[in-house]
Amino acid sequence: MKNISVLALLCGGCTGSDLQPDGALPSGGKDTSIDDTGPPAPLVTALDVGIDVGFQEDFFDSYQRGRACLAADYDGDGRTDVFVGNPADRSYILLNRSTPGAVSFEMFDILYDGLLAFGGGPADYDNDGDIDLFLSVGGAEGAELDILLENRLMEDGVLAFVDVSAAAGLSGPTRGGSTPIPVQSAGSRWGDYDRDGDLDLFVNVSIIGKDITGSTCEPDADEDPYDGRNTLWQNNGDGTFTDVTDAVGLGDALSSTFQSSLIDVDNDGDLDLYENNYQDLNVLYQNMLAETGTASFAPWPNTLLLNSEPLESWNAFVSAVGDLNNDGWEDLVVLTREPTKTLTERGPRHLLFLNTGSLGRTGFIEASPESGLTNFVETLGVMGSQLGDLNGDGILDLFIGNGGPSEGNHDQLFLSTGYGEIAVPGYGALRIPLYEDRSELIDTPAQVVEGFTGTVPSFPYRTHGSCIVDFDGDGQPELAITNGGRTSWPDELAQSPDRLFEFVQHTAPAYLTVRPRGDGVGTPQDGTGTRIEAHVRAKDGTTWSIHRTLLGGNAFSAHNGFQLTLGLGEAVAVEKVVLRWPDGAVEVLRDVALNTTLTVTH
């Protein structure tokens, strides 16, 4: 392995927490009998098939202003569909009609025309077996009420959505009264923060009357503090929600927040919160449920950083969660939009916070330069982004979509090439993922369908929500991208073609797809929060493991669906699959075949 030394500032007396006994995560966060090395699978090329498969919105008379990419099996046929949110344009659901090896979509319905559909997320909030849809409305472009759509598939036998926002109490905060307040909701995350078996919702709110390109995103003294207050909605289990933001300790943060992350930093089974603020300091909150028995949040001190990079980095536009080095501990990618006021000693860049729990220390090491996440775009920087394994080697890759309100910028793609190490003095060596910039694979103009009469904008585009999903069930995920600009800009500048990239290998890597389903009692019915690890073996006897979590949304206004596809590289056998359910139960599966899809019910 490549060895890279990094000076570490360590605090004494800090220890890590593990999910323990009954088969839970052992000390160090991984099965120490497994040698976690794995051969990468070579990538050949990427093909934009958006037109051919029905994903590019050429079926309209114009392109749309892309924001949300929310993937889920809305019609219950086992294939992952997509909701595409387009502020001030048409927002719709594409049903997946793919067969193995052949991606195909068809229009289901235009849900809204003109709504400022900025983000949201799919979830089975009522635990009835079908996937519902929350829409966070407004973003940086206006104040509106949010929308909760109940899927009536289980009740009526056909796919149909009913707006239950008012009845559920989820339209917006109320200042303690009964009338919801229109706010600029941006990203949202589903997660069972109180571990009662149903899904709660965290909604990011940006600042009313402030432009994201302005000099400040803090509310004026005469503005309503609810205008900049994020909201945590507790699911009451009866179809309604309660605003518990103040009660759990999150009510004092009044910043312009776009895309935060729910992440179990210390492996204690409850969801912590990384609040991702733009033009202000980010905040990492610890969920105190495991420590005190009550779900509440307290700011985590910056002693979690084991080197000199600050967790509270300025100008962070979006964050994303994933186990980037496959050690059983969740890591955090923080993507900064521009270098202004970026708090880092090593220059402006995106930040890769690797969890050090496997070394017995609760904390992070910032390792973006050592990992190869370089070539930071300093103008018209990050908007969209996503984590997913596009080359099938079991290590999460990173897509970064760039652009600005006035014009687009070139997108970036960093593909994994294997592992290296960082020396953490006093604790040992921490494995890190290594990346290569392969942006040329996807940084190309979109094709234009013959006879399209709409305006074709200049390349590059403004990139927003992106999903990495195996839409056709062949074990190789595709990259779906929604493009588009602000509502205040003319159509010819703001409306851009969406993209869908297929990735082609020299030799197809092995894979395993797992669809966890909860019991709807102690574990959410849709499986959100389930952690999966696959232990595999190569022909020469080498063994390694891959770790994934079914997240309730990740990165910019995106959800990657409820099927977890694990690239297994050159594996020839799966030795075991371990599922760690949100209620703490652990299930171990053996004799699992390669290149198959498992549906596992708690």
Side-chain angles (χ1 to χ4, degrees), residues 219-273:
D220 295 333
D222 59 348
E223 287 182 345
D224 190 325
Y226 275 81
D227 290 346
R229 171 184 175 273
N230 297 325
T231 308
L232 178 62
W233 296 100
Q234 179 177 282
N235 192 330
N236 299 321
D238 59 1
T240 67
F241 291 80
T242 298
D243 181 350
V244 296
T245 312
D246 297 324
V248 301
L250 296 175
D252 293 334
L254 301 176
S255 300
S256 198
T257 314
F258 284 91
Q259 313 288 339
S260 297
S261 292
L262 294 174
I263 172 175
D264 185 2
V265 172
D266 49 359
N267 270 356
D268 64 356
D270 56 36
L271 289 172
D272 309 304
L273 170 66

Side-chain angles (χ1 to χ4, degrees), residues 9-270:
L9 301 176
L10 305 179
C11 71
C14 299
T15 60
S17 300
D18 303 327
L19 287 170
Q20 285 297 340
D22 62 354
L25 284 174
S27 177
K30 60 181 178 180
D31 186 339
T32 55
S33 67
I34 299 293
D35 178 12
D36 285 341
T37 59
L43 178 74
V44 177
T45 189
L47 304 173
D48 180 5
V49 296
I51 291 176
D52 298 334
V53 305
F55 188 79
Q56 187 188 109
E57 67 274 46
D58 56 11
F59 35 76
F60 295 130
D61 55 2
S62 65
Y63 298 127
Q64 308 294 288
R65 291 173 167 85
R67 286 298 184 280
C69 183
L70 306 178
D73 180 11
Y74 295 108
D75 62 355
D77 69 351
R79 294 173 290 192
T80 301
D81 314 304
V82 183
F83 168 81
V84 181
N86 298 301
D89 285 333
R90 288 158 285 199
S91 298
Y92 51 88
I93 285 181
L94 295 175
L95 292 181
N96 188 342
R97 299 304 189 214
S98 304
T99 56
V103 180
S104 178
F105 293 97
E106 72 175 22
M107 174 68 71
F108 164 67
D109 192 14
I110 298 173
L111 298 186
Y112 293 97
D113 190 352
L115 183 76
L116 293 179
F118 199 91
D124 184 3
Y125 81 93
D126 51 4
N127 277 335
D128 68 350
D130 53 31
I131 301 299
D132 312 296
L133 182 60
F134 172 77
L135 300 182
S136 49
V137 185
E141 304 183 58
E144 294 192 16
L145 297 177
D146 294 331
I147 295 172
L148 178 63
L149 297 175
E150 180 191 3
N151 190 340
R152 298 293 298 177
L153 180 64
M154 296 304 294
E155 290 81 1
D156 303 331
V158 295
L159 176 61
F161 290 97
V162 176
D163 187 340
V164 296
S165 313
L170 206 59
S171 301
T174 64
R175 300 190 188 94
S178 59
T179 303
I181 306 168
V183 295
Q184 292 187 177
S185 298
S188 65
R189 299 288 184 255
W190 289 99
D192 186 7
Y193 89 98
D194 53 3
R195 299 187 71 179
D196 65 351
D198 49 36
L199 288 171
D200 312 297
L201 181 66
F202 181 75
V203 180
N204 290 150
V205 178
S206 60
I207 300 301
I208 291 293
K210 304 294 183 182
D211 190 287
I212 62 170
T213 59
S215 59
T216 180
C217 279
E218 297 179 355
D220 295 333
D222 59 348
E223 287 182 345
D224 190 325
Y226 275 81
D227 290 346
R229 171 184 175 273
N230 297 325
T231 308
L232 178 62
W233 296 100
Q234 179 177 282
N235 192 330
N236 299 321
D238 59 1
T240 67
F241 291 80
T242 298
D243 181 350
V244 296
T245 312
D246 297 324
V248 301
L250 296 175
D252 293 334
L254 301 176
S255 300
S256 198
T257 314
F258 284 91
Q259 313 288 339
S260 297
S261 292
L262 294 174
I263 172 175
D264 185 2
V265 172
D266 49 359
N267 270 356
D268 64 356
D270 56 36

Side-chain angles (χ1 to χ4, degrees), residues 168-385:
L170 206 59
S171 301
T174 64
R175 300 190 188 94
S178 59
T179 303
I181 306 168
V183 295
Q184 292 187 177
S185 298
S188 65
R189 299 288 184 255
W190 289 99
D192 186 7
Y193 89 98
D194 53 3
R195 299 187 71 179
D196 65 351
D198 49 36
L199 288 171
D200 312 297
L201 181 66
F202 181 75
V203 180
N204 290 150
V205 178
S206 60
I207 300 301
I208 291 293
K210 304 294 183 182
D211 190 287
I212 62 170
T213 59
S215 59
T216 180
C217 279
E218 297 179 355
D220 295 333
D222 59 348
E223 287 182 345
D224 190 325
Y226 275 81
D227 290 346
R229 171 184 175 273
N230 297 325
T231 308
L232 178 62
W233 296 100
Q234 179 177 282
N235 192 330
N236 299 321
D238 59 1
T240 67
F241 291 80
T242 298
D243 181 350
V244 296
T245 312
D246 297 324
V248 301
L250 296 175
D252 293 334
L254 301 176
S255 300
S256 198
T257 314
F258 284 91
Q259 313 288 339
S260 297
S261 292
L262 294 174
I263 172 175
D264 185 2
V265 172
D266 49 359
N267 270 356
D268 64 356
D270 56 36
L271 289 172
D272 309 304
L273 170 66
Y274 187 77
E275 189 177 81
N276 208 89
N277 298 315
Y278 180 64
Q279 295 190 341
D280 202 348
L281 295 176
N282 299 339
V283 183
L284 178 64
Y285 291 94
Q286 182 181 16
N287 189 338
M288 303 302 295
L289 178 60
E291 288 74 16
T292 67
T294 300
S296 62
F297 292 87
W300 228 324
N302 212 27
T303 52
L304 287 182
L305 256 294
L306 301 189
N307 59 356
S308 58
E309 304 302 332
L311 276 169
E312 71 268 16
S313 178
W314 194 286
N315 275 346
F317 203 65
V318 61
S319 57
V321 175
D323 189 348
L324 299 171
N325 57 0
N326 284 310
D327 65 353
W329 295 76
E330 293 182 326
D331 309 304
L332 187 68
V333 177
V334 180
L335 300 171
T336 49
R337 175 159 175 76
E338 56 198 42
T340 307
K341 294 185 180 179
T342 299
L343 303 178
T344 170
E345 293 186 0
R346 294 192 280 176
R349 67 186 187 283
H350 301 309
L351 302 173
L352 179 64
F353 292 123
L354 293 177
N355 198 322
T356 57
S358 62
L359 302 180
R361 165 65 155 86
T362 300
F364 294 94
I365 283 281
E366 202 293 303
S368 55
E370 292 80 7
S371 293
L373 292 180
T374 55
N375 301 332
F376 179 78
V377 174
E378 295 196 17
T379 58
L380 301 175
V382 66
M383 291 196 297
S385 57

